[in-house]
Amino acid sequence: MSIRLTPDAVYERLTSGTPNGAGLEVPLYDYDVVIAGSGPIGCAYARTILEDPTIPDARVLMVEIGSQDSSVIGEHHKNSIKFQKDIDAFVNVIKAALQDVSVPPGDTYIPTLVGNGWTPPVNNGTQLIFQGSNPNQIRELNLKASAVTRTVGGMATHWTCACPTPHPEEIRNNPIPQAERDSLFQRARELLNVHNDQYEFSMRHTTVKDTLLETLPAGRNVQSLPLAVERRSDNPAYVTWSGSNTVLGDVASYGDRFKLLSETRFTKLILDNDTPNLIQGALLRDLGNDRDVLAQAKAYVIATGAVGTPQVLANSGIYPDTLGRNLCEQSLAFCQVVMTPEMIDSITNSTNADWQRRIAIHKASHPTDPLPIPFNDPEPQVMIPYTTDFPWHCQVHRDAFSYGDVGPRADARVVVDLRFFGKQEINPNNRVYFPQNLARDWIPGNTDIYGMPQATFEVQRSHLDSVNDQKMMRDLCAVADELGAYLPGSNPQFMDPGLALHITGTTRIGDDPTTSVADRSSRVHGFTNLFVGGNGCIPDSTSSNPTLTSVMIALKACEAVSELLRQPTTA
Ligand SMILES: Cc1cc2nc3c(=O)[nH]c(=O)nc-3n(C[C@H](O)[C@H](O)[C@H](O)COP(=O)(O)OP(=O)(O)OC[C@H]3O[C@@H](n4cnc5c(N)ncnc54)[C@H](O)[C@@H]3O)c2cc1C
């Protein structure tokens, strides 16, 4: 299906980018719901709508700027046996997956460049702006390590899968009533396939957990980390990590009611002055063919990440004062320890018959190995949850991130990672902002490398945040001390701001339009058929990992989308 637009209409209504050339034939996709973003939140929306028996014919178009990198839509890359055998190698996958959000222009003057190489003129007052750098970014206010993942499946193609339920203090601003939240959380856990018992037979896991249970006060509530993971029944040495595919469900069963457009940018929503509260369409850009595409639907869902979602709204001219504000990002303290000899001895001397059987098999194959731990013994996955007295979320585990590979420094079987996440006070002045009118305000560096308005951070931690961070670091050191000695090179440290990749608040939900962007159903205030999704919807200061909460919020929103689709007309 296609519609024919006059050149004037194309320029007026579509504005950005080059029109498609002679004839201006613009393909049109006509669906019931258009979802921007194929991460776990876009997929939670898609599945819930597609499996809703009250709207059995509903058709969903999903638009994703990244490419599909696995044969299964949005699968977790860590399901490859290669990475389960060599977790260090996965660090490079994550590094490659992360694209920085805001990079101040570098100092490209190279004093040692001699000979015939171009160098910028010295002291002429201009800044060299290379593609993707942001001249507006003030270094001190940046979330330097904040990044996005542009691929089918979003960040859930590499995430750690930690899904703790937030403590009541981490969810007090959420406008969804608690009883409703509890059942939505349960459905979110099912969609993400969350378990907390998949590591119980592991020697390392049990030893780390028991050591903390014995040495920390009972009030710390040491427990197994709830993870979106399931051990494989055909070979329990491996696990299946939940990716966006897990959330999306059985795509084949949707038939032609579901379509995914990859390497397609959701550029902007099309508004009409005559019906200001109703989105009329969506302008997309087919990146491979470099041409504009239109989509029409009854409902529009923007779930392009905590930076990408306000970015699409801003590019559409939907820029309430609350957009991008109340941004919170978690501080992240990290270290790695090598377990104590006592912990290793407790494995050797364990009375657990299954352990002794596995140790014997290992020793028979590897008689010179000084460690009793079989090579395929799963890693520790332990949590010390947020409490009022210790208001931070602690993961005592072993996993890949964009840092923290062990390499040849130590035997990976005796290394434990400690990642402690600290909250940030809510402050409307902490924000990500975008140039509002690219045609008018365009200056070099004002778009990102995908041609969307450049995101600029203005984020500062408060005095209270610093005090809290200091206490969290002291706690990290105390917990580490119970487990062993610091792995040289991985001493306790705060990671660069933004590295937690847990930005919240930028499209927060709430009942009051002066302090929120969308209502409790994630419907953007002032609009009938526009919904947002993702961690940006979380209105609280949190230290627990956010994805479970964002899925919970999206499930609530789907009820409103469903109601909208059941209405005979949307006008
Ligand atoms: C190393 C790492 C570890 C993590 N560990 C955890 C953890 O243990 N627990 C946890 O809760 N969270 C964790 N996270 C974060 C988690 O992955 C995110 O919270 C989650 O993926 C957010 O889902 P989303 O769908 O809102 O956004 P995303 O997963 O970011 O997906 C958004 C999608 O939108 C696409 N997009 C952006 N702009 C456009 C556009 N204009 N047009 C079309 N498409 C667009 C992007 O390409 C992307 O695919 C981790 C992330 C990383 C990278």
Side-chain angles (χ1 to χ4, degrees):
M1 189 178 180
S2 67
I3 55 170
R4 249 186 130 65
L5 295 172
T6 65
D8 279 356
V10 170
Y11 278 117
E12 192 189 313
R13 295 177 68 193
L14 311 187
T15 54
S16 85
T18 358
N20 293 330
L24 297 170
E25 193 77 13
V26 182
L28 173 72
Y29 289 97
D30 197 355
Y31 277 75
D32 292 301
V33 184
V34 176
I35 298 175
S38 67
I41 305 308
C43 288
Y45 268 100
R47 178 172 185 172
T48 313
I49 293 162
L50 288 162
E51 291 187 349
D52 184 338
T54 69
I55 41 171
D57 301 324
R59 297 168 72 241
V60 171
L61 179 71
M62 182 176 271
V63 181
E64 167 57 52
I65 204 166
S67 59
Q68 186 173 330
D69 299 333
S70 62
S71 57
V72 176
I73 292 176
E75 194 181 13
H76 201 308
H77 297 315
K78 213 165 54 182
N79 289 333
S80 297
I81 287 174
K82 168 183 171 180
F83 298 123
Q84 298 200 20
K85 280 188 176 297
D86 179 7
I87 193 68
D88 274 0
F90 201 65
V91 169
N92 301 309
V93 173
I94 297 177
K95 276 186 186 161
L98 296 177
Q99 291 180 284
D100 291 334
V101 172
S102 184
V103 184
D107 176 6
T108 50
Y109 176 66
I110 311 171
T112 50
L113 182 74
V114 291
N116 195 19
W118 182 86
T119 189
V122 189
N123 281 339
N124 71 345
T126 60
Q127 237 177 347
L128 183 72
I129 295 161
F130 50 90
Q131 197 194 17
S133 72
N134 178 7
N136 296 321
Q137 182 61 61
I138 298 168
R139 281 161 217 264
E140 293 75 14
L141 303 181
N142 197 8
L143 292 177
K144 189 179 170 200
S146 189
V148 293
T149 296
R150 294 183 180 95
T151 186
V152 169
M155 286 194 187
T157 53
H158 73 248
W159 69 317
T160 307
C161 293
C163 287
T165 302
H167 184 276
E169 287 172 11
E170 296 179 281
I171 197 149
R172 53 185 158 204
N173 293 331
N174 196 300
I176 304 171
Q178 195 199 325
E180 204 178 339
R181 264 189 345 238
D182 289 347
S183 74
L184 291 169
F185 265 128
Q186 187 47 34
R187 278 172 55 205
R189 276 186 217 101
E190 284 159 20
L191 270 191
L192 288 161
N193 199 23
V194 177
H195 296 93
N196 60 2
D197 58 357
Q198 302 295 292
Y199 287 79
E200 298 306 300
F201 75 97
S202 154
M203 300 176 191
R204 291 193 282 160
H205 172 78
T206 310
T207 305
V208 169
K209 190 167 120 183
D210 286 352
T211 304
L212 294 181
L213 279 168
E214 280 160 24
T215 52
L216 299 182
R220 294 304 298 268
N221 201 9
V222 173
Q223 56 189 276
S224 297
L225 181 63
L227 287 168
V229 74
E230 187 170 347
R231 199 153 284 287
R232 276 173 51 172
S233 53
D234 58 339
N235 184 349
Y238 302 120
V239 292
T240 304
W241 296 100
S242 298
S244 294
N245 61 315
T246 316
V247 179
L248 186 57
D250 181 10
V251 177
S253 71
Y254 307 143
D256 63 3
R257 293 200 297 128
F258 175 72
K259 185 171 179 64
L260 168 70
L261 297 176
S262 61
E263 297 197 316
T264 303
R265 182 184 70 193
F266 193 105
T267 311
K268 59 170 68 176
L269 296 148
I270 300 170
L271 293 118
D272 188 336
N273 285 342
D274 296 336
T275 50
N277 60 355
L278 207 60
I279 302 299
Q280 296 289 339
L283 173 64
L284 319 177
R285 184 120 186 128
D286 170 352
L287 298 178
N289 294 308
D290 216 9
R291 60 172 192 167
D292 285 327
V293 177
L294 289 175
Q296 270 179 353
K298 292 179 187 147
Y300 299 83
V301 177
I302 311 299
T304 48
V307 173
T309 298
Q311 184 181 47
V312 168
L313 295 193
N315 202 34
S316 312
I318 301 170
Y319 211 131
D321 186 50
T322 45
L323 191 76
R325 291 192 181 275
N326 300 293
L327 186 157
C328 291
E329 175 58 297
Q330 296 164 359
S331 55
L332 175 54
F334 168 72
C335 74
Q336 288 176 303
V337 293
V338 175
M339 286 185 217
T340 62
E342 291 77 17
M343 289 169 76
I344 305 303
D345 289 347
S346 76
I347 294 176
T348 310
N349 303 324
S350 160
T351 54
N352 181 316
D354 181 52
W355 288 21
Q356 286 306 336
R357 184 185 58 80
R358 286 161 52 210
I359 292 170
I361 295 171
H362 178 71
K363 285 281 174 206
S365 317
H366 307 281
T368 57
D369 186 0
L371 279 171
I373 307 169
F375 293 122
N376 63 3
D377 184 58
E379 66 279 10
Q381 296 284 6
V382 179
M383 161 171 89
I384 314 173
Y386 179 110
T387 59
T388 303
D389 292 338
F390 298 90
W392 40 83
H393 165 72
C394 320
Q395 292 173 195
V396 184
H397 63 159
R398 178 82 197 98
D399 206 344
F401 211 86
S402 51
Y403 57 89
D405 44 330
V406 174
R409 287 181 292 168
D411 189 308
R413 289 173 292 172
V414 294
V415 174
V416 182
D417 303 356
L418 286 86
R419 292 190 171 84
F420 283 29
F421 297 85
K423 57 184 184 177
Q424 174 162 29
E425 271 196 291
I426 296 174
N427 178 348
N429 294 328
N430 282 336
R431 63 169 185 155
V432 57
Y433 71 91
F434 308 89
Q436 293 192 37
N437 182 340
L438 282 184
R440 191 195 63 207
D441 302 338
W442 194 87
I443 59 160
N446 247 3
T447 58
D448 65 19
I449 52 172
Y450 284 80
M452 293 294 281
Q454 171 62 51
T456 303
F457 290 114
E458 277 183 359
V459 182
Q460 266 180 316
R461 290 185 83 73
S462 70
H463 175 67
L464 194 69
D465 293 334
S466 307
V467 171
N468 205 45
D469 284 345
Q470 179 78 18
K471 287 185 190 160
M472 178 171 85
M473 179 54 95
R474 209 175 293 141
D475 188 42
L476 175 118
C477 297
V479 173
D481 196 45
E482 303 294 353
L483 294 171
Y486 297 122
L487 178 68
S490 294
N491 297 46
Q493 58 199 282
F494 280 106
M495 307 309 285
D496 275 335
L499 196 62
L501 301 170
H502 291 169
I503 288 179
T504 56
T506 51
T507 54
R508 71 204 301 250
I509 57 167
D511 294 334
D512 179 358
T514 64
T515 55
S516 59
V517 173
D519 68 14
R520 60 177 69 188
S521 294
S522 302
R523 195 194 309 251
V524 175
H525 293 302
F527 289 89
T528 313
N529 61 345
L530 176 58
F531 297 83
V532 282
N535 302 338
C537 293
I538 295 176
D540 281 281
S541 162
T542 67
S543 42
S544 291
N545 325 60
T547 311
L548 180 75
T549 303
S550 297
V551 172
M552 184 279 287
I553 293 172
L555 292 178
K556 166 79 180 160
C558 286
E559 295 166 11
V561 176
S562 174
E563 196 190 325
L564 191 66
L565 296 196
R566 284 196 301 271
Q567 290 170 11
T569 60
T570 52

